C-alpha cells in the first residue's frame, strides 16, 4: 500500500470500505461464540462445540452413574418421564442413549424443496465477492478527503505562525499617509514658518513666544536665531505633505514671502527687497495634536521645463481661424467690460462672467482654432490688456467654440467656455 493511502486511511487499491469485515467485540456478561461458521463446512450441518453442549446439558441433573458418550459425541439432556418406546409401550424414566445434536441448515438436508443448490465453497474461500467501483466516485471521494486534509493543514500552519510572530503594531498608531491629518499638519507648518522667519533684535522675546506655539515641548524655542537683525514674514502657502510609512512623522512643504530690512546704523533699519523662501517643515503626530518636531530646512525653488508628454491642442484649422478672428476680438472687448455685453456674444446656453472693467482690451495678438468635429472646436488666444497708466499685460487664453445656426440658416462659431 502506498504511503499516501496510509496517510489518508484509504483501503487498498481495488477495494472500498464496505469490503472490510469488522469483527464484533463480545458483549459484557455473555460468552463469545466459538462455533465454526457455516461456510467452513459446506458439506452439511455443523454440530455445536462440546463447550456449548455442556452448557445445555448442565440444565438437567444427570445421574452420577451415567455412561459417558462415545468419543466425538455430545451428551444430550436426559429424557423426561412419560416417554414411550418405538412399539408404543410406556417407557420407564431413566437415561437415554447419547446422540449427536444436529444443526438445521437451509442449505443442507433441511433445504426447502425446489430451492437451487448452493455452490460448495472451498476451504478458506470468503462467502462474498468484491464489486468494482466507478472511477469518478473513487476520484471524488479521495479528492474531498484530500481537500479536507489540506484545509486543516493550512489552518494549523496559519495558527502556528500567528503564535510565533503575532502582530505587535499598537492599535493607536496611525499607519499610512492617507490617514495622517494632512490639513492639521499644513496649518501647524504654515504658522510655524511665519514665526520662524520673523525676528527683530529690538524685541528678541517675541519670536520664541510665537515659535513655541507649534514647536514640541522640550526643544529650543530660539530655533537657531542668534538674536541679531530684522525681517518679517507675512504670507505662507503650504503644499504637499509627505508622511512616513509609520504614520507618525511627516514633512510639509511651505512657501513664505518675507520682507527684509537693511541696517542704517545703530538700531535703525530700512525696508529691503521682498523675497520668497521655501521651507521643509518636519512635523509629528502625538496623542493630542500635530507638533513641529525640529527646525525646518531651506529648499531651492528651481525652474523646471514642461513635460515632454504635454497634451497638444491638435492640428490647426487655418480656414476657420481666419473666419472667426473678428468674432474673437469682439468677444474679448465685451469680456473686459460687463456681463451684459459678454452674454450677447457667447453661445446660447453658456454663462461667462466678465472682468467688469478691471482692465481694458488692447489687442488680439494671436488667434488659432484647431481641427475637431463639426459642432465644437478648441482655440487659443493671446490677448494684451491695458492697465493703469502705460501698463500692459499679455495673457493667453484657451477657449471652446460652438457652432450655432440662426433662424435664417446662417451659421456662426461662438465662445461657449473660457479656460
Amino acid at each position: 500500500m502506498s504511503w499516501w493511502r496510509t496517510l489518508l486511511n484509504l483501503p487498498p487499491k481495488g477495494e472500498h470500505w464496505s469490503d472490510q469485515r469488522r469483527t464484533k467485540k463480545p458483549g459484557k456478561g455473555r460468552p463469545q461464540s466459538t462455533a465454526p461458521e457455516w461456510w467452513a463446512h459446506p458439506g452439511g450441518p455443523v454440530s455445536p462445540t462440546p463447550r456449548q453442549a455442556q452448557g445445555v446439558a448442565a440444565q438437567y441433573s444427570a445421574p452420577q452413574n451415567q455412561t459417558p458418550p462415545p468419543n466425538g459425541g455430545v451428551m444430550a439432556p436426559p429424557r423426561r418421564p412419560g416417554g414411550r418406546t418405538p412399539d408404543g409401550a410406556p417407557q420407564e424414566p431413566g437415561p437415554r442413549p447419547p446422540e449427536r445434536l444436529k444443526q438445521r441448515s437451509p442449505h443442507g438436508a433441511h433445504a426447502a424443496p425446489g430451492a437451487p443448490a448452493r455452490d460448495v465453497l472451498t476451504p478458506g474461500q470468503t462467502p462474498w465477492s468484491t464489486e468494482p467501483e466507478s472511477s469518478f466516485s473513487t476520484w471524488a471521494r479521495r479528492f474531498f478527503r484530500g481537500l479536507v486534509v489540506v484545509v486543516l493543514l493550512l489552518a494549523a500552519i496559519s495558527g502556528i505562525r500567528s503564535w510565533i510572530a503575532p502582530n505587535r503594531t499598537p492599535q493607536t498608531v496611525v499607519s499610512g499617509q492617507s490617514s495622517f491629518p494632512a490639513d492639521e499638519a499644513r496649518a501647524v507648518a504654515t504658522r510655524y514658518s511665519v514665526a520662524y522667519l520673523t525676528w527683530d533684535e529690538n524685541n528678541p522675546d517675541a519670536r520664541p513666544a510665537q515659535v513655541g506655539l507649534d514647536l514640541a515641548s522640550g526643544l529650543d524655542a530660539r530655533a537657531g536665531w542668534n538674536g541679531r537683525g530684522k525681517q518679517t514674514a507675512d504670507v505662507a502657502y503650504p503644499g504637499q505633505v509627505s508622511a512616513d510609512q509609520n504614520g507618525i512623522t511627516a514633512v510639509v512643504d511651505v512657501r513664505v514671502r518675507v520682507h527684509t530690512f537693511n541696517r542704517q546704523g545703530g538700531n535703525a533699519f530700512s525696508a529691503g527687497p521682498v523675497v520668497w523662501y521655501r521651507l521643509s517643515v518636519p512635523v509629528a503626530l502625538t496623542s493630542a495634536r500635530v507638533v513641529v518636531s525640529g527646525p525646518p530646512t531651506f529648499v531651492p525653488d528651481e525652474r523646471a521645463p514642461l513635460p515632454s508628454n504635454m497634451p497638444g491642442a491638435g492640428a490647426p484649422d487655418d480656414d476657420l481661424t481666419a473666419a472667426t478672428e473678428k468674432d474673437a476680438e469682439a468677444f474679448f472687448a465685451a469680456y473686459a467690460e460687463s456681463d451684459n455685453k459678454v452674454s450677447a456674444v457667447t453661445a446660447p446656453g453658456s454663462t461667462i462672467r466678465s472682468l467688469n472693467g478691471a482692465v481694458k482690451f488692447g489687442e488680439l495678438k494671436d488667434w488659432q482654432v484647431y481641427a475637431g468635429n463639426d459642432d465644437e472646436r478648441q482655440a487659443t488666444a493671446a490677448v494684451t490688456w491695458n492697465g493703469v497708466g502705460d501698463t500692459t499685460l499679455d495673457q493667453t487664453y484657451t477657449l471652446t467654440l460652438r457652432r450655432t445656426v440662426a433662424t435664417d440658416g446662417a451659421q456662426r462659431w461662438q465662445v461657449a467656455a473660457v479656460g
Side-chain angles (χ1 to χ4, degrees), residues 26-32:
K28 296 182 180 180
R30 65 182 188 182
Q32 182 179 1

Side-chain angles (χ1 to χ4, degrees), residues 28-105:
K28 296 182 180 180
R30 65 182 188 182
Q32 182 179 1
S33 175
T34 58
E37 303 294 343
W38 61 267
W39 56 78
H41 301 275
V46 181
S47 299
T49 61
R51 184 180 299 274
Q52 292 175 332
Q54 291 176 7
V56 176
Q59 300 178 2
Y60 302 91
S61 56
Q64 298 295 329
N65 58 353
Q66 183 176 349
T67 304
N71 294 334
V74 178
M75 179 66 69
R79 296 182 179 273
R80 296 180 179 180
R84 294 182 179 274
T85 61
D87 55 358
Q91 184 179 0
E92 295 296 330
R96 63 177 182 178
E99 60 181 7
R100 184 180 297 274
L101 299 178
K102 296 183 179 181
Q103 179 180 0
R104 300 177 63 87
S105 172

Side-chain angles (χ1 to χ4, degrees), residues 111-244:
R118 179 181 178 87
D119 295 337
V120 179
L121 301 177
T122 60
Q125 182 179 359
T126 56
W128 67 78
S129 61
T130 59
E131 296 181 358
E133 188 178 9
S134 64
S135 60
F136 176 77
S137 60
T138 303
W139 175 87
R141 184 179 67 253
R142 294 174 181 174
F143 171 77
F144 286 110
R145 289 177 182 172
L147 183 61
V148 171
V149 173
V150 171
V151 171
L152 294 178
L153 290 177
L154 291 177
I157 293 173
S158 61
I160 295 174
R161 183 179 60 183
S162 63
W163 299 339
I164 298 176
N167 185 13
R168 296 184 176 88
T169 303
Q171 299 296 329
T172 57
V173 174
V174 181
S175 60
Q177 182 175 357
S178 60
S179 59
F180 192 87
D183 293 338
E184 183 181 358
R186 290 188 182 96
V188 170
T190 300
R191 186 169 67 173
Y192 178 82
S193 299
V194 172
Y196 178 80
L197 294 177
T198 300
W199 56 71
D200 187 358
E201 64 179 21
N202 296 323
N203 187 12
D205 296 332
R207 182 177 183 271
Q210 297 298 319
V211 168
L213 294 177
D214 298 302
L215 189 64
S217 60
L219 299 181
D220 187 6
R222 293 179 301 174
W225 180 49
N226 65 351
R228 303 293 300 275
K230 179 181 180 180
Q231 74 176 23
T232 302
D234 60 349
V235 177
Y237 298 101
Q240 183 179 1
V241 178
S242 301
D244 198 0

Side-chain angles (χ1 to χ4, degrees), residues 350-364:
S350 301
T351 301
I352 300 176
R353 299 295 302 273
S354 68
L355 301 179
N356 289 322
V359 292
K360 294 182 179 180
F361 175 69
E363 63 174 331
L364 184 63

Side-chain angles (χ1 to χ4, degrees), residues 278-300:
R278 183 177 179 183
L279 297 178
S280 180
V281 183
V283 296
L285 176 63
T286 66
S287 58
R289 50 165 293 195
V290 175
V291 296
V292 176
S293 59
T297 57
F298 288 112
V299 179

